[in-house]
Amino acid sequence: KLFGPAEAQVLRWDGSKMTPPEPTPQDLETFHKNNEQAFAIPARVTVEYVEFLASGSEEAARTKAGEAAFAFTSQFFNLPEGQGRPDFTAKAAEAKLPVKTAGPFTAADTPFPGETDPRLTAAALRLTPDDPVSDFLPVKNGFLVLRLKDLQPGRVRPLGGAMNQVKARWQEQ
């Protein structure tokens, strides 16, 4: 018989009231290991910087600021063999440039007031203890020169420190 009486039952429940299953410690360990980057603490950097501001909107003023920034950064690069890198703060004081500080910040932040270009943050995160001074970097009103003050490398949080987030993410899937 193709068509005939049929019996059906409907069961209704509110899925939001269901308790998700409890993961085992092994489940959490495996999930953490397979998704380490989701639980990573990003690298954080603190930099000191000096500004070379153009004294007007004309191209000549910007060029003059660029030349001053280039002359300042040149002191920190291509040093003769055996000569140490000069002190950034002392050279800034010599040039009568105030040293400002930004940070700590991560790649997701915009730490420089009035500047939204992510390349500035990326340049700061590329600085290392062996190469702590940036080249002069263009900004809206001139140029910045950055110096690494502190670097906290990124790392993966151990399972114990991320247990609540690991459990929540495991139950979401």
Short mmCIF file of all heavy atoms in Angstrom, two decimals, residues 16-50:
data_model
loop_
_atom_site.label_atom_id
_atom_site.label_comp_id
_atom_site.label_asym_id
_atom_site.label_seq_id
_atom_site.Cartn_x
_atom_site.Cartn_y
_atom_site.Cartn_z
N SER A 16 18.23 25.52 23.56
CA SER A 16 19.08 26.41 24.35
C SER A 16 19.14 26.00 25.82
O SER A 16 19.99 26.44 26.56
CB SER A 16 18.59 27.86 24.24
OG SER A 16 17.33 28.00 24.87
N LYS A 17 18.18 25.16 26.23
CA LYS A 17 18.16 24.72 27.63
C LYS A 17 18.93 23.42 27.85
O LYS A 17 19.04 22.93 28.95
CB LYS A 17 16.72 24.55 28.11
CG LYS A 17 15.89 25.80 27.98
CD LYS A 17 15.22 26.14 29.26
CE LYS A 17 14.22 27.26 29.18
NZ LYS A 17 14.67 28.53 28.80
N MET A 18 19.46 22.88 26.78
CA MET A 18 20.22 21.62 26.90
C MET A 18 21.62 21.92 27.42
O MET A 18 22.24 22.91 27.06
CB MET A 18 20.31 20.92 25.55
CG MET A 18 18.98 20.41 25.08
SD MET A 18 19.14 19.29 23.69
CE MET A 18 20.15 18.01 24.34
N THR A 19 22.11 21.07 28.25
CA THR A 19 23.46 21.20 28.78
C THR A 19 24.41 20.54 27.80
O THR A 19 24.21 19.38 27.44
CB THR A 19 23.55 20.51 30.16
OG1 THR A 19 22.54 21.03 30.99
CG2 THR A 19 24.91 20.71 30.78
N PRO A 20 25.44 21.27 27.35
CA PRO A 20 26.40 20.64 26.42
C PRO A 20 27.14 19.51 27.14
O PRO A 20 27.27 19.51 28.37
CB PRO A 20 27.34 21.77 26.03
CG PRO A 20 27.09 22.88 26.99
CD PRO A 20 25.78 22.64 27.65
N PRO A 21 27.64 18.56 26.38
CA PRO A 21 28.37 17.45 27.01
C PRO A 21 29.64 17.95 27.70
O PRO A 21 30.22 18.96 27.31
CB PRO A 21 28.70 16.53 25.84
CG PRO A 21 28.62 17.40 24.62
CD PRO A 21 27.62 18.48 24.94
N GLU A 22 30.04 17.26 28.71
CA GLU A 22 31.28 17.60 29.43
C GLU A 22 32.45 16.91 28.74
O GLU A 22 32.44 15.69 28.57
CB GLU A 22 31.20 17.14 30.89
CG GLU A 22 30.42 18.07 31.78
CD GLU A 22 31.04 19.46 31.88
OE1 GLU A 22 32.26 19.59 32.11
OE2 GLU A 22 30.28 20.44 31.70
N PRO A 23 33.46 17.67 28.36
CA PRO A 23 34.64 17.05 27.73
C PRO A 23 35.50 16.35 28.77
O PRO A 23 35.56 16.74 29.93
CB PRO A 23 35.38 18.25 27.12
CG PRO A 23 34.97 19.42 27.98
CD PRO A 23 33.57 19.13 28.43
N THR A 24 36.18 15.33 28.30
CA THR A 24 37.13 14.65 29.17
C THR A 24 38.44 15.43 29.16
O THR A 24 38.67 16.23 28.24
CB THR A 24 37.41 13.21 28.67
OG1 THR A 24 38.09 13.32 27.40
CG2 THR A 24 36.13 12.39 28.52
N PRO A 25 39.29 15.24 30.15
CA PRO A 25 40.60 15.92 30.11
C PRO A 25 41.37 15.63 28.82
O PRO A 25 42.03 16.52 28.28
CB PRO A 25 41.33 15.37 31.34
CG PRO A 25 40.21 15.00 32.29
CD PRO A 25 39.10 14.51 31.40
N GLN A 26 41.26 14.41 28.30
CA GLN A 26 41.93 14.05 27.04
C GLN A 26 41.35 14.85 25.87
O GLN A 26 42.09 15.32 25.01
CB GLN A 26 41.80 12.54 26.78
CG GLN A 26 42.50 12.08 25.51
CD GLN A 26 44.00 12.31 25.54
OE1 GLN A 26 44.64 12.15 26.57
NE2 GLN A 26 44.56 12.73 24.42
N ASP A 27 40.00 15.02 25.86
CA ASP A 27 39.37 15.83 24.81
C ASP A 27 39.93 17.24 24.81
O ASP A 27 40.25 17.81 23.77
CB ASP A 27 37.85 15.92 25.03
CG ASP A 27 37.12 14.62 24.78
OD1 ASP A 27 37.63 13.78 24.01
OD2 ASP A 27 36.01 14.46 25.34
N LEU A 28 40.02 17.84 26.01
CA LEU A 28 40.51 19.22 26.12
C LEU A 28 41.97 19.33 25.71
O LEU A 28 42.35 20.27 25.03
CB LEU A 28 40.33 19.72 27.55
CG LEU A 28 38.88 19.90 28.01
CD1 LEU A 28 38.83 20.31 29.46
CD2 LEU A 28 38.15 20.89 27.13
N GLU A 29 42.78 18.37 26.12
CA GLU A 29 44.20 18.39 25.76
C GLU A 29 44.38 18.29 24.25
O GLU A 29 45.14 19.04 23.65
CB GLU A 29 44.93 17.25 26.46
CG GLU A 29 46.43 17.31 26.27
CD GLU A 29 47.16 16.22 27.06
OE1 GLU A 29 46.66 15.80 28.11
OE2 GLU A 29 48.24 15.82 26.59
N THR A 30 43.64 17.39 23.62
CA THR A 30 43.73 17.22 22.17
C THR A 30 43.24 18.47 21.45
O THR A 30 43.87 18.95 20.50
CB THR A 30 42.90 16.00 21.72
OG1 THR A 30 43.41 14.84 22.40
CG2 THR A 30 42.98 15.78 20.22
N PHE A 31 42.11 19.02 21.90
CA PHE A 31 41.55 20.22 21.28
C PHE A 31 42.53 21.39 21.40
O PHE A 31 42.75 22.13 20.45
CB PHE A 31 40.20 20.58 21.92
CG PHE A 31 39.51 21.72 21.26
CD1 PHE A 31 38.85 21.54 20.05
CD2 PHE A 31 39.51 22.98 21.82
CE1 PHE A 31 38.21 22.59 19.43
CE2 PHE A 31 38.88 24.04 21.21
CZ PHE A 31 38.22 23.85 20.00
N HIS A 32 43.13 21.55 22.58
CA HIS A 32 44.12 22.63 22.80
C HIS A 32 45.30 22.45 21.87
O HIS A 32 45.75 23.41 21.23
CB HIS A 32 44.57 22.63 24.27
CG HIS A 32 45.57 23.68 24.59
ND1 HIS A 32 46.92 23.41 24.65
CD2 HIS A 32 45.44 25.00 24.85
CE1 HIS A 32 47.57 24.52 24.96
NE2 HIS A 32 46.70 25.51 25.08
N LYS A 33 45.81 21.25 21.77
CA LYS A 33 46.99 20.98 20.93
C LYS A 33 46.68 21.23 19.45
O LYS A 33 47.51 21.77 18.72
CB LYS A 33 47.43 19.53 21.14
CG LYS A 33 48.83 19.24 20.63
CD LYS A 33 49.29 17.86 21.04
CE LYS A 33 49.60 17.89 22.51
NZ LYS A 33 50.07 16.65 23.06
N ASN A 34 45.47 20.86 19.01
CA ASN A 34 45.09 21.03 17.60
C ASN A 34 44.72 22.47 17.24
O ASN A 34 44.60 22.79 16.07
CB ASN A 34 43.93 20.10 17.24
CG ASN A 34 44.35 18.64 17.26
OD1 ASN A 34 45.53 18.31 17.15
ND2 ASN A 34 43.38 17.76 17.41
N ASN A 35 44.48 23.32 18.25
CA ASN A 35 44.06 24.70 18.00
C ASN A 35 44.92 25.68 18.79
O ASN A 35 44.42 26.67 19.31
CB ASN A 35 42.59 24.87 18.40
CG ASN A 35 41.67 24.00 17.58
OD1 ASN A 35 41.38 24.32 16.44
ND2 ASN A 35 41.24 22.88 18.14
N GLU A 36 46.21 25.42 18.89
CA GLU A 36 47.11 26.23 19.72
C GLU A 36 47.03 27.72 19.40
O GLU A 36 47.05 28.56 20.30
CB GLU A 36 48.55 25.75 19.60
CG GLU A 36 48.82 24.49 20.37
CD GLU A 36 50.28 24.06 20.29
OE1 GLU A 36 50.97 24.41 19.30
OE2 GLU A 36 50.71 23.39 21.22
N GLN A 37 46.97 28.06 18.12
CA GLN A 37 47.00 29.48 17.75
C GLN A 37 45.77 30.23 18.26
O GLN A 37 45.82 31.44 18.48
CB GLN A 37 47.15 29.65 16.24
CG GLN A 37 48.54 29.29 15.74
CD GLN A 37 49.64 29.98 16.54
OE1 GLN A 37 49.62 31.19 16.72
NE2 GLN A 37 50.58 29.20 17.04
N ALA A 38 44.65 29.52 18.45
CA ALA A 38 43.45 30.17 18.97
C ALA A 38 43.64 30.59 20.43
O ALA A 38 42.92 31.46 20.92
CB ALA A 38 42.25 29.23 18.85
N PHE A 39 44.60 29.99 21.10
CA PHE A 39 44.84 30.27 22.51
C PHE A 39 46.19 30.96 22.74
O PHE A 39 46.71 30.98 23.84
CB PHE A 39 44.74 28.99 23.33
CG PHE A 39 43.46 28.24 23.07
CD1 PHE A 39 43.44 27.08 22.34
CD2 PHE A 39 42.25 28.75 23.52
CE1 PHE A 39 42.26 26.42 22.07
CE2 PHE A 39 41.06 28.11 23.25
CZ PHE A 39 41.06 26.93 22.53
N ALA A 40 46.73 31.52 21.67
CA ALA A 40 48.05 32.17 21.75
C ALA A 40 47.94 33.56 22.36
O ALA A 40 46.92 34.25 22.21
CB ALA A 40 48.68 32.25 20.36
N ILE A 41 48.98 33.95 23.04
CA ILE A 41 49.11 35.32 23.52
C ILE A 41 50.01 36.02 22.50
O ILE A 41 51.13 35.59 22.27
CB ILE A 41 49.76 35.35 24.92
CG1 ILE A 41 48.85 34.64 25.93
CG2 ILE A 41 50.03 36.78 25.35
CD1 ILE A 41 49.48 34.44 27.29
N PRO A 42 49.50 37.08 21.84
CA PRO A 42 50.30 37.70 20.78
C PRO A 42 51.52 38.45 21.33
O PRO A 42 51.54 38.85 22.50
CB PRO A 42 49.32 38.68 20.13
CG PRO A 42 48.29 38.95 21.18
CD PRO A 42 48.22 37.72 22.05
N ALA A 43 52.50 38.63 20.47
CA ALA A 43 53.68 39.41 20.84
C ALA A 43 53.25 40.83 21.19
O ALA A 43 52.33 41.37 20.59
CB ALA A 43 54.67 39.44 19.67
N ARG A 44 53.91 41.39 22.19
CA ARG A 44 53.63 42.77 22.61
C ARG A 44 54.96 43.53 22.60
O ARG A 44 55.98 43.00 22.98
CB ARG A 44 53.02 42.78 24.02
CG ARG A 44 51.68 42.06 24.09
CD ARG A 44 51.13 41.99 25.49
NE ARG A 44 50.78 43.27 26.04
CZ ARG A 44 49.67 43.94 25.79
NH1 ARG A 44 48.79 43.43 24.98
NH2 ARG A 44 49.42 45.11 26.35
N VAL A 45 54.89 44.77 22.15
CA VAL A 45 56.10 45.57 22.03
C VAL A 45 55.85 46.96 22.61
O VAL A 45 54.74 47.47 22.56
CB VAL A 45 56.57 45.63 20.55
CG1 VAL A 45 55.60 46.39 19.69
CG2 VAL A 45 57.95 46.20 20.42
N THR A 46 56.89 47.52 23.18
CA THR A 46 56.88 48.91 23.63
C THR A 46 58.01 49.60 22.88
O THR A 46 59.12 49.07 22.81
CB THR A 46 57.11 49.01 25.16
OG1 THR A 46 56.09 48.27 25.82
CG2 THR A 46 57.07 50.46 25.63
N VAL A 47 57.71 50.75 22.30
CA VAL A 47 58.73 51.49 21.55
C VAL A 47 58.81 52.93 22.05
O VAL A 47 57.84 53.47 22.59
CB VAL A 47 58.45 51.51 20.03
CG1 VAL A 47 58.52 50.12 19.44
CG2 VAL A 47 57.14 52.18 19.70
N GLU A 48 59.98 53.49 21.86
CA GLU A 48 60.17 54.93 22.01
C GLU A 48 60.25 55.46 20.59
O GLU A 48 60.70 54.76 19.69
CB GLU A 48 61.47 55.24 22.76
CG GLU A 48 61.46 54.77 24.20
CD GLU A 48 62.77 55.04 24.90
OE1 GLU A 48 63.84 54.96 24.26
OE2 GLU A 48 62.72 55.33 26.09
N TYR A 49 59.80 56.69 20.40
CA TYR A 49 59.87 57.25 19.04
C TYR A 49 60.05 58.75 19.08
O TYR A 49 59.76 59.41 20.08
CB TYR A 49 58.63 56.87 18.22
CG TYR A 49 57.32 57.44 18.72
CD1 TYR A 49 56.80 58.61 18.17
CD2 TYR A 49 56.59 56.80 19.71
CE1 TYR A 49 55.58 59.12 18.61
CE2 TYR A 49 55.38 57.30 20.15
CZ TYR A 49 54.88 58.46 19.60
OH TYR A 49 53.68 58.97 20.03
N VAL A 50 60.58 59.25 17.98
CA VAL A 50 60.70 60.68 17.77
C VAL A 50 59.95 61.02 16.49
O VAL A 50 59.85 60.21 15.58
CB VAL A 50 62.17 61.17 17.69
CG1 VAL A 50 62.86 61.01 19.05
CG2 VAL A 50 62.94 60.45 16.61
#
